[in-house]
């Protein structure tokens, strides 16, 4: 950090320098210089490809013969009742658990043959966020930047930007183990966004747990990232959010895809339904009378 400050010719007059002050100075200096933009790599199309996926837990079939593609520039909503198999699908997609059958590819890389490259390409927010409790939020984000080979100066500028977006300033030097669920979720999001866009994202219930402002900021950010070419798969129970955010939907029930398409396609295939909620209820046990 000190070396970087010297290279940038930031005047260091006092012997007792606070690390957070130095970081702020470096960020301000980089913003002033408008560092050259890193060329944004193009994503493979489809960026997410799941084929013939089956996942069994003993005799329980959690997911069966499941297909899904997400292209760059799309947000796809994975919706379905509790126990439908959404989290299981995302855990296979991100290489956390192995499929019983089928393949998953991320940015063209097979998750179980080219694991490192595939994992390197995807950002994941789990349903139950967990993280290293004895790192501070700042240490975690910089650790992620190092894993993803990001130059420190770029990481610092991005961290500052996303810390502002998610209003994390006062928690930057808090231990992760002390954060509330929503703030932990925000830190994990900053840990993803510190990397180079465009992103391939698998987000399991990312809105749930955020307060209204956090949710609004995340939705706005996801739309912008989508428009800039990221590929986003999002599981959610909040159908209002799904309708507003997603280009297409896959409705899961008991491990299978029971409906898919844009909202218009789904509505024209289900004449009795007036909105996504009614399509969903119709396909997953019927609309309650
Ligand atoms: N590790 C496991 N061992 C045994 N069964 C499991 C395991 N993980 C998931 N299951 C089962 O697989 C099915 C699908 O679970 P999953 O968590 O994927 O559902 P979901 O669609 O994410 O539900 P929710 O909306 O409640 O989050 C459920 O019946 C669940 O009990
Ligand atoms: Mg789930």
């Amino acid at each position: 950090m000190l070396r970087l400050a010297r290279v940038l010719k930031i005047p260091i007059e006092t012997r007792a320098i606070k690390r957070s002050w130095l970081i702020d100075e470096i960020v301000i200096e980089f913003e002033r210089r408008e560092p050259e933009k890193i060329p944004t790599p193009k994503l493979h199309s489809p960026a997410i490809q799941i084929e013939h996926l089956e996942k069994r837990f003993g005799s329980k079939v959690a997911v069966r013969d499941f297909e899904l593609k997400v292209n760059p520039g799309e947000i796809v909503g994975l919706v379905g009742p509790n126990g439908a198999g959404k989290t299981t699908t995302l855990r296979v997609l991100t290489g956390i658990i192995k499929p019983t059958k089928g393949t998953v590819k991320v940015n063209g890389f097979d998750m179980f043959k080219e694991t490192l490259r595939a994992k390197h390409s995807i950002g994941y927010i789990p349903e139950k966020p967990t993280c290293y409790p004895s790192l501070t939020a700042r240490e975690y984000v910089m650790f992620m930047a190092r894993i993803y080979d990001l130059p420190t100066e770029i990481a610092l500028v991005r961290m500052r930007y996303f810390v502002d977006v998610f209003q994390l300033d006062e928690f930057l030097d808090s231990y992760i183990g002390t954060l509330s669920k929503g703030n932990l979720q925000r830190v994990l999001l900053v840990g993803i966004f510190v990397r180079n866009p465009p992103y391939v994202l698998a987000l399991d219930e990312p809105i749930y747990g955020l307060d209204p402002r956090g949710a609004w900021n995340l939705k706005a950010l996801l739309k912008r990232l989508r428009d800039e070419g990221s590929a986003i798969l999002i599981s959610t129970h909040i159908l209002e959010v799904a309708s507003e955010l997603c280009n297409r939907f896959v409705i899961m029930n008991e491990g299978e895809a029971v409906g898919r398409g844009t909202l218009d396609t789904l509505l024209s295939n289900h004449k009795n339904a007036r909105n996504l909620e009614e399509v969903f209820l119709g396909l997953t046990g019927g609309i309650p009378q």
Side-chain angles (χ1 to χ4, degrees):
M1 203 61 69
L2 272 171
R3 218 170 48 214
L4 189 57
R6 276 195 206 106
V7 172
L8 293 172
K9 298 195 170 59
I10 292 171
I12 298 167
E13 287 144 9
T14 157
R15 283 200 147 265
I17 300 158
K18 266 192 87 179
R19 191 180 151 83
S20 55
W21 170 82
L22 199 51
I23 289 172
D24 284 346
E25 288 301 308
I26 289 171
V27 169
I28 290 164
E29 185 59 23
F30 262 97
E31 279 174 350
R32 198 179 62 76
R33 292 182 184 200
E34 291 182 28
E36 274 176 43
K37 267 197 145 185
I38 301 177
T40 50
K42 273 209 139 212
L43 291 180
H44 185 276
S45 187
I48 292 176
Q49 186 168 24
I50 300 177
E51 288 184 310
H52 304 297
L53 175 64
E54 180 177 303
K55 179 65 190 175
R56 291 171 182 263
F57 296 104
S59 60
K60 166 86 196 169
V61 186
V63 179
R64 75 176 80 219
D65 203 17
F66 186 76
E67 312 269 322
L68 178 80
K69 281 182 189 158
V70 184
N71 292 315
E74 275 195 315
I75 303 180
V76 174
L78 188 57
V79 295
N82 295 132
K86 305 179 297 294
T87 296
T88 304
T89 302
L90 295 185
R91 293 181 78 211
V92 176
L93 172 67
T94 49
I96 293 168
I97 52 174
K98 286 198 168 148
T100 311
K101 280 189 203 157
T103 54
V104 299
K105 286 185 182 168
V106 177
N107 206 17
F109 303 117
D110 187 302
M111 182 53 78
F112 298 96
K113 290 188 182 141
E114 301 160 281
T115 307
L116 268 183
R117 287 178 158 202
K119 284 194 174 176
H120 211 268
S121 308
I122 197 159
Y124 175 50
I125 297 291
E127 185 175 43
K128 296 175 192 146
T130 51
C131 195
Y132 312 102
S134 54
L135 289 185
T136 66
R138 187 193 302 274
E139 284 167 346
Y140 169 72
V141 174
M142 293 314 286
F143 169 66
M144 291 298 280
R146 221 170 302 146
I147 288 182
Y148 288 93
D149 302 325
L150 216 72
T152 307
E153 58 275 20
I154 304 284
L156 288 171
V157 174
R158 287 231 186 101
M159 179 169 73
R160 174 58 56 201
Y161 176 77
F162 287 107
V163 160
D164 286 346
V165 169
F166 291 112
Q167 297 175 302
L168 275 173
D169 212 20
E170 64 176 298
F171 303 106
L172 252 187
D173 294 305
S174 302
Y175 287 105
I176 284 180
T178 67
L179 295 177
S180 70
K181 175 178 153 54
N183 283 334
L184 171 56
Q185 213 167 329
R186 291 168 196 239
V187 171
L188 296 186
L189 286 165
V190 179
I192 290 178
F193 295 133
V194 80
R195 306 179 202 172
N196 287 332
Y199 307 102
V200 184
L201 302 177
L203 309 176
D204 202 349
E205 302 281 355
I207 309 288
Y208 178 78
L210 295 182
D211 60 30
R213 186 174 299 278
W216 195 92
N217 284 338
L218 179 60
K219 283 188 286 181
L221 178 63
L222 292 178
K223 283 184 199 161
R224 182 162 64 75
L225 293 173
R226 181 255 320 267
D227 295 343
E228 290 169 2
S230 291
I232 303 171
L233 177 61
I234 173 170
S235 104
T236 181
H237 283 297
I238 313 170
L239 296 181
E240 222 177 290
V241 170
S243 305
E244 181 194 335
L245 206 56
C246 301
N247 302 75
R248 288 193 291 119
F249 304 90
V250 176
I251 302 178
M252 269 187 114
N253 194 29
E254 298 182 357
E256 289 178 287
V258 291
R260 55 174 84 228
T262 62
L263 187 54
D264 285 347
T265 318
L266 288 167
L267 288 173
S268 66
N269 290 346
H270 300 86
K271 297 282 183 223
N272 297 334
R274 288 167 297 181
N275 49 39
L276 182 62
E277 189 177 27
E278 292 189 359
V279 173
F280 176 93
L281 291 169
L283 285 169
T284 59
I287 302 175
Q289 295 304 314

